[in-house]
Each structure stands twice: as C-alpha cells, then as structure tokens.
Amino acid sequence: ATWDLSNVSSTYYMFNGCSALTSDGCPTFKLSDKWTYAQHMFNGCRAITEIDTSDWTVSGLTNASSMFNDCRALTTLKHSPTWDLSALTNTSYMFSGCNALTTAGCPTLHLSDNWTNAQHMFNGCTGLTEIDTSQWTTSSLNNIEYMFSGCVALTTVNGTATWDLPKVTTTQSMFTGCKALTSEECPKLKLSEKWTDAQQMFRDCTGLTEIDTSEWTVSSLTTAEQMFNGCSALTSLNPTATCTRSG
C-alpha cells in the first residue's frame, strides 16, 4: 500500500525507535517537495532491510540528521539513482550504524553549498565498499568528524580529486578504521587555518601508503593526537611545501 503524504512537511521522529518494524510491514510513501524535515525518521528501526524511496521528492529537505541512524539490517534504499539534496544543510548521523548497507543499495547524493554538517554521516557503515562523492559541494562544511569512521570495507571515495574545505574546523576520526582505503582512492583535502582538531584522523588506516598534505594549513591545529596511529603501511606524507606549526 502507498500513503499519499503530498502535504506533509515534516516526518520528524516518525518511526523513531520502532526496532521491530519490518520492511513488509511498512507502507510505501509518496512525499512531495513540501517535505523539509526528516531527522530521526527511521532512527533505530533495526529490523528493516529495505525502504522504497522511489516516490520521495527530496529536493525540499533541509535536515536529514539521523534519518536512518542505527538501521542495522538495512541493505537497500530502493531509489532513483540520484537524490537531489541541494537544499539540505545537515546529514549528521544520516546513515550512521547502517552496517548492512551496500554500495549498490545507496543512492548517489547531490549536495550543494548549503551543506554544513556531515559528522558521523557514514560512521560504522561496514558494508560500503565505494561512496560516490562526485556531486558533493564541500565548501560550506564545517564539521566532518567521524564521517567515514569504521567503514572497514571502504576502498574508494569516488569523486572530485580535491575536496575544498575552507570552513572545516574538525576532522577528528574522519577516516578512523578505514583499513581498506587506498592512497589512490582517497580524496585530497584542502584545509584552511580554521582547522583546529585532527585527532585520530587516519587512525588504523592500514591500507594507506601515502597521504597528500600539500594543501593542509596546519598553523591553527591544537590537537593531532593519534592522527596517523596504526598506519602501518604509510611511507610518505607527500607535501609539496613544508608543513609548519606555529607556537
């Protein structure tokens, strides 16, 4: 059955904590461009394996924080190939803990310069091998801590060669535990003097042999604890200019 929710603007906490709800027991929804708030919509729906999003118009969404957080059995979002999320500002914890989600079951996300918060976005997504970032505009992001932390099968962040991150202040644990990620498939990060926290940023990234730091401004960093701890294959931090730290 399909629910016509064309006039709904908010699905905030709609099924939050419905841990026994199954895919077969959940209706299909038709959502229009009036829909703006989806935070915690399916948070903690641990029994759902598939969600049909084919009748969702996502272009009006502004907040998707924790939308699918802790959906541990979720493998597939049946979807249009690309979600236009150009109005979205917040994807924090959006897919966090979705450890069964596959690359094939995850849509490509189109994110604009409205996007500011991506902390914990894919944290613990142990089933993802590749994430397509080719339609991400990162220039307004200020928080990307734990963004891919615990994505142990992730081999490829596939998109723009360089991420422009002039507003980011923290990269804490951004790639922690991304053991399968290789140097060739890891984006180059352009980080400014606003960057203050880099602790555990690449901790236990055992597949990385080289990290390009040539566009890192490190002069404002206040903590770099365990930044490369456990990077057992790392042979080179490959800057074209000398990294300096003031004070």
Side-chain angles (χ1 to χ4, degrees):
T2 299
W3 288 12
D4 183 358
L5 301 178
S6 302
N7 291 313
V8 165
S9 62
S10 176
T11 55
Y12 179 77
Y13 281 80
M14 188 173 182
F15 297 104
N16 181 61
C18 293
S19 57
L21 184 66
T22 65
S23 298
D24 290 339
C26 189
T28 301
F29 306 110
K30 183 176 182 180
L31 291 153
S32 76
D33 56 5
K34 293 180 180 179
W35 184 36
T36 56
Y37 299 109
Q39 56 266 53
H40 293 260
M41 184 176 178
F42 291 100
N43 181 48
C45 291
R46 297 177 178 177
I48 283 183
T49 57
E50 183 175 285
I51 298 172
D52 188 344
T53 70
S54 56
D55 275 336
W56 293 9
T57 302
V58 296
S59 57
L61 280 179
T62 60
N63 195 329
S65 174
S66 298
M67 189 175 182
F68 305 105
N69 181 50
D70 199 28
C71 288
R72 299 179 185 182
L74 182 65
T75 61
T76 306
L77 296 169
K78 290 178 64 178
H79 54 78
S80 302
T82 301
W83 283 14
D84 178 9
L85 299 172
S86 51
L88 197 63
T89 63
N90 191 345
T91 59
S92 63
Y93 294 85
M94 187 174 181
F95 300 104
S96 182
C98 291
N99 51 31
L101 186 64
T102 65
T103 298
C106 188
T108 299
L109 308 179
H110 177 71
L111 292 152
S112 77
D113 56 5
N114 287 318
W115 184 35
T116 59
N117 190 345
Q119 62 178 313
H120 292 257
M121 184 177 178
F122 292 101
N123 181 36
C125 289
T126 56
L128 288 179
T129 57
E130 183 175 329
I131 297 173
D132 187 347
T133 70
S134 60
Q135 296 189 49
W136 292 9
T137 302
T138 60
S139 57
S140 296
L141 282 174
N142 55 56
N143 192 334
I144 52 177
E145 64 181 11
Y146 291 88
M147 190 174 184
F148 304 108
S149 179
C151 291
V152 294
L154 185 65
T155 61
T156 306
V157 179
N158 178 28
T160 308
T162 301
W163 286 19
D164 183 17
L165 300 167
K167 296 182 180 180
V168 162
T169 61
T170 176
T171 58
Q172 179 182 352
S173 298
M174 183 179 180
F175 295 105
T176 292
C178 291
K179 297 179 179 182
L181 188 64
T182 63
S183 298
E184 292 81 5
E185 301 299 341
C186 185
K188 181 179 177 181
L189 307 179
K190 184 176 182 180
L191 292 151
S192 78
E193 68 281 350
K194 293 187 177 179
W195 183 36
T196 60
D197 185 354
Q199 59 183 312
Q200 301 187 63
M201 184 176 177
F202 292 100
R203 182 178 178 178
D204 293 327
C205 288
T206 54
L208 290 179
T209 57
E210 183 176 303
I211 298 171
D212 189 338
T213 67
S214 61
E215 296 202 63
W216 292 9
T217 302
V218 298
S219 56
S220 298
L221 280 177
T222 59
T223 178
E225 292 179 356
Q226 302 189 61
M227 190 174 181
F228 306 105
N229 184 27
C231 292
S232 54
L234 186 64
T235 61
S236 177
L237 297 172
N238 184 31
T240 57
T242 302
C243 290
T244 60
R245 170 72 176 95
S246 64

mmCIF file of all heavy atoms in Angstrom, residues 144 171-177 189 191 195 197-203 205 216 225-228:
data_model
loop_
_atom_site.group_PDB
_atom_site.id
_atom_site.type_symbol
_atom_site.label_atom_id
_atom_site.label_comp_id
_atom_site.label_asym_id
_atom_site.label_seq_id
_atom_site.Cartn_x
_atom_site.Cartn_y
_atom_site.Cartn_z
ATOM 1 N N ILE A 144 33.189 17.532 9.899
ATOM 2 C CA ILE A 144 33.218 16.242 9.205
ATOM 3 C C ILE A 144 33.827 15.156 10.106
ATOM 4 O O ILE A 144 34.306 14.136 9.619
ATOM 5 C CB ILE A 144 33.990 16.322 7.867
ATOM 6 C CG1 ILE A 144 35.380 16.931 8.045
ATOM 7 C CG2 ILE A 144 33.182 17.108 6.841
ATOM 8 C CD1 ILE A 144 36.204 16.966 6.752
ATOM 9 N N THR A 171 38.384 17.473 11.857
ATOM 10 C CA THR A 171 38.412 16.236 11.069
ATOM 11 C C THR A 171 38.647 15.047 12.006
ATOM 12 O O THR A 171 39.131 14.001 11.571
ATOM 13 C CB THR A 171 39.526 16.280 10.008
ATOM 14 O OG1 THR A 171 40.786 16.497 10.670
ATOM 15 C CG2 THR A 171 39.275 17.366 8.974
ATOM 16 N N GLN A 172 38.306 15.210 13.250
ATOM 17 C CA GLN A 172 38.538 14.150 14.236
ATOM 18 C C GLN A 172 37.947 12.825 13.763
ATOM 19 O O GLN A 172 36.774 12.745 13.404
ATOM 20 C CB GLN A 172 37.927 14.519 15.586
ATOM 21 C CG GLN A 172 38.118 13.452 16.652
ATOM 22 C CD GLN A 172 37.448 13.821 17.969
ATOM 23 O OE1 GLN A 172 36.967 14.930 18.157
ATOM 24 N NE2 GLN A 172 37.410 12.885 18.890
ATOM 25 N N SER A 173 38.784 11.797 13.719
ATOM 26 C CA SER A 173 38.358 10.424 13.395
ATOM 27 C C SER A 173 37.647 10.319 12.047
ATOM 28 O O SER A 173 36.866 9.385 11.827
ATOM 29 C CB SER A 173 37.468 9.857 14.510
ATOM 30 O OG SER A 173 38.172 9.778 15.728
ATOM 31 N N MET A 174 37.943 11.198 11.137
ATOM 32 C CA MET A 174 37.252 11.229 9.849
ATOM 33 C C MET A 174 37.337 9.890 9.110
ATOM 34 O O MET A 174 36.341 9.388 8.574
ATOM 35 C CB MET A 174 37.824 12.335 8.967
ATOM 36 C CG MET A 174 37.122 12.506 7.625
ATOM 37 S SD MET A 174 37.862 13.859 6.665
ATOM 38 C CE MET A 174 36.823 13.798 5.197
ATOM 39 N N PHE A 175 38.540 9.307 9.077
ATOM 40 C CA PHE A 175 38.755 8.032 8.382
ATOM 41 C C PHE A 175 39.201 6.924 9.335
ATOM 42 O O PHE A 175 39.727 5.900 8.887
ATOM 43 C CB PHE A 175 39.811 8.203 7.282
ATOM 44 C CG PHE A 175 39.425 9.118 6.157
ATOM 45 C CD1 PHE A 175 39.972 10.386 6.057
ATOM 46 C CD2 PHE A 175 38.516 8.720 5.188
ATOM 47 C CE1 PHE A 175 39.632 11.242 5.011
ATOM 48 C CE2 PHE A 175 38.165 9.562 4.148
ATOM 49 C CZ PHE A 175 38.722 10.828 4.058
ATOM 50 N N THR A 176 38.995 7.087 10.622
ATOM 51 C CA THR A 176 39.457 6.080 11.579
ATOM 52 C C THR A 176 38.956 4.676 11.209
ATOM 53 O O THR A 176 37.761 4.478 10.981
ATOM 54 C CB THR A 176 38.978 6.426 13.004
ATOM 55 O OG1 THR A 176 39.657 7.598 13.444
ATOM 56 C CG2 THR A 176 39.280 5.301 13.978
ATOM 57 N N GLY A 177 39.877 3.729 11.135
ATOM 58 C CA GLY A 177 39.496 2.336 10.883
ATOM 59 C C GLY A 177 39.148 2.011 9.451
ATOM 60 O O GLY A 177 38.653 0.906 9.185
ATOM 61 N N LEU A 189 42.576 16.621 0.448
ATOM 62 C CA LEU A 189 41.824 17.573 1.253
ATOM 63 C C LEU A 189 42.536 18.924 1.275
ATOM 64 O O LEU A 189 43.745 18.997 1.523
ATOM 65 C CB LEU A 189 41.671 17.053 2.687
ATOM 66 C CG LEU A 189 41.104 15.639 2.846
ATOM 67 C CD1 LEU A 189 41.026 15.268 4.318
ATOM 68 C CD2 LEU A 189 39.735 15.506 2.195
ATOM 69 N N LEU A 191 42.592 22.103 3.398
ATOM 70 C CA LEU A 191 42.177 22.529 4.739
ATOM 71 C C LEU A 191 42.814 23.867 5.084
ATOM 72 O O LEU A 191 44.003 24.087 4.829
ATOM 73 C CB LEU A 191 42.566 21.460 5.753
ATOM 74 C CG LEU A 191 41.787 20.144 5.614
ATOM 75 C CD1 LEU A 191 42.591 18.946 6.089
ATOM 76 C CD2 LEU A 191 40.458 20.232 6.359
ATOM 77 N N TRP A 195 41.053 25.035 10.593
ATOM 78 C CA TRP A 195 41.195 23.634 11.014
ATOM 79 C C TRP A 195 41.963 23.555 12.334
ATOM 80 O O TRP A 195 43.126 23.926 12.396
ATOM 81 C CB TRP A 195 41.913 22.888 9.910
ATOM 82 C CG TRP A 195 42.109 21.415 10.080
ATOM 83 C CD1 TRP A 195 41.263 20.515 10.647
ATOM 84 C CD2 TRP A 195 43.239 20.669 9.607
ATOM 85 N NE1 TRP A 195 41.789 19.251 10.568
ATOM 86 C CE2 TRP A 195 43.000 19.311 9.936
ATOM 87 C CE3 TRP A 195 44.421 21.015 8.936
ATOM 88 C CZ2 TRP A 195 43.914 18.305 9.615
ATOM 89 C CZ3 TRP A 195 45.319 20.013 8.615
ATOM 90 C CH2 TRP A 195 45.066 18.678 8.959
ATOM 91 N N ASP A 197 41.286 20.659 14.879
ATOM 92 C CA ASP A 197 41.271 19.339 15.513
ATOM 93 C C ASP A 197 41.463 18.241 14.479
ATOM 94 O O ASP A 197 40.643 18.087 13.572
ATOM 95 C CB ASP A 197 39.934 19.151 16.241
ATOM 96 C CG ASP A 197 39.848 17.853 17.036
ATOM 97 O OD1 ASP A 197 40.772 17.028 16.944
ATOM 98 O OD2 ASP A 197 38.840 17.665 17.743
ATOM 99 N N ALA A 198 42.556 17.486 14.615
ATOM 100 C CA ALA A 198 42.849 16.396 13.679
ATOM 101 C C ALA A 198 43.096 15.079 14.402
ATOM 102 O O ALA A 198 43.638 14.140 13.805
ATOM 103 C CB ALA A 198 44.065 16.750 12.838
ATOM 104 N N GLN A 199 42.662 14.975 15.636
ATOM 105 C CA GLN A 199 42.989 13.766 16.387
ATOM 106 C C GLN A 199 42.346 12.520 15.766
ATOM 107 O O GLN A 199 41.200 12.543 15.342
ATOM 108 C CB GLN A 199 42.588 13.913 17.857
ATOM 109 C CG GLN A 199 41.128 14.182 18.128
ATOM 110 C CD GLN A 199 40.850 14.371 19.615
ATOM 111 O OE1 GLN A 199 41.293 13.581 20.439
ATOM 112 N NE2 GLN A 199 40.119 15.426 19.951
ATOM 113 N N GLN A 200 43.151 11.465 15.681
ATOM 114 C CA GLN A 200 42.743 10.159 15.163
ATOM 115 C C GLN A 200 42.193 10.210 13.733
ATOM 116 O O GLN A 200 41.454 9.319 13.309
ATOM 117 C CB GLN A 200 41.712 9.505 16.102
ATOM 118 C CG GLN A 200 42.230 9.307 17.517
ATOM 119 C CD GLN A 200 41.293 8.508 18.388
ATOM 120 O OE1 GLN A 200 41.029 7.336 18.095
ATOM 121 N NE2 GLN A 200 40.781 9.111 19.438
ATOM 122 N N MET A 201 42.583 11.210 13.001
ATOM 123 C CA MET A 201 42.015 11.437 11.662
ATOM 124 C C MET A 201 42.166 10.217 10.746
ATOM 125 O O MET A 201 41.227 9.833 10.039
ATOM 126 C CB MET A 201 42.687 12.652 11.029
ATOM 127 C CG MET A 201 42.139 13.068 9.682
ATOM 128 S SD MET A 201 42.967 14.592 9.135
ATOM 129 C CE MET A 201 42.222 14.826 7.526
ATOM 130 N N PHE A 202 43.363 9.625 10.711
ATOM 131 C CA PHE A 202 43.631 8.458 9.866
ATOM 132 C C PHE A 202 44.000 7.228 10.705
ATOM 133 O O PHE A 202 44.641 6.304 10.203
ATOM 134 C CB PHE A 202 44.772 8.765 8.884
ATOM 135 C CG PHE A 202 44.434 9.783 7.837
ATOM 136 C CD1 PHE A 202 44.837 11.101 7.977
ATOM 137 C CD2 PHE A 202 43.712 9.430 6.708
ATOM 138 C CE1 PHE A 202 44.543 12.050 7.003
ATOM 139 C CE2 PHE A 202 43.404 10.376 5.732
ATOM 140 C CZ PHE A 202 43.817 11.686 5.883
ATOM 141 N N ARG A 203 43.590 7.190 11.930
ATOM 142 C CA ARG A 203 43.988 6.087 12.812
ATOM 143 C C ARG A 203 43.598 4.725 12.213
ATOM 144 O O ARG A 203 42.464 4.534 11.750
ATOM 145 C CB ARG A 203 43.334 6.247 14.185
ATOM 146 C CG ARG A 203 43.739 5.152 15.159
ATOM 147 C CD ARG A 203 43.135 5.350 16.522
ATOM 148 N NE ARG A 203 43.508 4.253 17.395
ATOM 149 C CZ ARG A 203 43.167 4.158 18.677
ATOM 150 N NH1 ARG A 203 42.449 5.114 19.242
ATOM 151 N NH2 ARG A 203 43.562 3.122 19.391
ATOM 152 N N CYS A 205 44.355 3.301 9.468
ATOM 153 C CA CYS A 205 44.165 3.206 8.007
ATOM 154 C C CYS A 205 45.341 2.410 7.453
ATOM 155 O O CYS A 205 46.307 2.963 6.899
ATOM 156 C CB CYS A 205 44.089 4.593 7.391
ATOM 157 S SG CYS A 205 42.566 5.474 7.747
ATOM 158 N N TRP A 216 47.232 21.361 3.112
ATOM 159 C CA TRP A 216 46.838 21.466 4.508
ATOM 160 C C TRP A 216 47.479 22.705 5.125
ATOM 161 O O TRP A 216 48.702 22.882 5.066
ATOM 162 C CB TRP A 216 47.314 20.257 5.311
ATOM 163 C CG TRP A 216 46.664 18.953 4.993
ATOM 164 C CD1 TRP A 216 45.814 18.662 3.973
ATOM 165 C CD2 TRP A 216 46.860 17.733 5.718
ATOM 166 N NE1 TRP A 216 45.455 17.341 4.003
ATOM 167 C CE2 TRP A 216 46.083 16.735 5.068
ATOM 168 C CE3 TRP A 216 47.600 17.381 6.839
ATOM 169 C CZ2 TRP A 216 46.030 15.424 5.508
ATOM 170 C CZ3 TRP A 216 47.563 16.066 7.278
ATOM 171 C CH2 TRP A 216 46.776 15.101 6.629
ATOM 172 N N GLU A 225 46.544 14.377 18.213
ATOM 173 C CA GLU A 225 46.766 13.112 18.913
ATOM 174 C C GLU A 225 46.359 11.925 18.041
ATOM 175 O O GLU A 225 45.279 11.911 17.458
ATOM 176 C CB GLU A 225 45.952 13.068 20.214
ATOM 177 C CG GLU A 225 46.404 14.050 21.272
ATOM 178 C CD GLU A 225 45.538 13.955 22.525
ATOM 179 O OE1 GLU A 225 44.549 13.182 22.510
ATOM 180 O OE2 GLU A 225 45.844 14.666 23.507
ATOM 181 N N GLN A 226 47.216 10.935 17.975
ATOM 182 C CA GLN A 226 46.957 9.674 17.274
ATOM 183 C C GLN A 226 46.513 9.883 15.821
ATOM 184 O O GLN A 226 45.811 9.045 15.244
ATOM 185 C CB GLN A 226 45.918 8.842 18.037
ATOM 186 C CG GLN A 226 46.323 8.514 19.460
ATOM 187 C CD GLN A 226 45.392 7.535 20.108
ATOM 188 O OE1 GLN A 226 45.232 6.407 19.639
ATOM 189 N NE2 GLN A 226 44.751 7.938 21.194
ATOM 190 N N MET A 227 46.949 10.953 15.235
ATOM 191 C CA MET A 227 46.485 11.328 13.897
ATOM 192 C C MET A 227 46.730 10.226 12.866
ATOM 193 O O MET A 227 45.870 9.953 12.017
ATOM 194 C CB MET A 227 47.171 12.617 13.469
ATOM 195 C CG MET A 227 46.625 13.262 12.212
ATOM 196 S SD MET A 227 47.438 14.869 11.959
ATOM 197 C CE MET A 227 46.607 15.432 10.474
ATOM 198 N N PHE A 228 47.915 9.588 12.931
ATOM 199 C CA PHE A 228 48.269 8.521 11.993
ATOM 200 C C PHE A 228 48.551 7.214 12.739
ATOM 201 O O PHE A 228 49.175 6.300 12.180
ATOM 202 C CB PHE A 228 49.499 8.927 11.173
ATOM 203 C CG PHE A 228 49.353 10.245 10.460
ATOM 204 C CD1 PHE A 228 49.996 11.377 10.934
ATOM 205 C CD2 PHE A 228 48.553 10.357 9.329
ATOM 206 C CE1 PHE A 228 49.866 12.601 10.284
ATOM 207 C CE2 PHE A 228 48.419 11.577 8.679
ATOM 208 C CZ PHE A 228 49.070 12.705 9.158
#
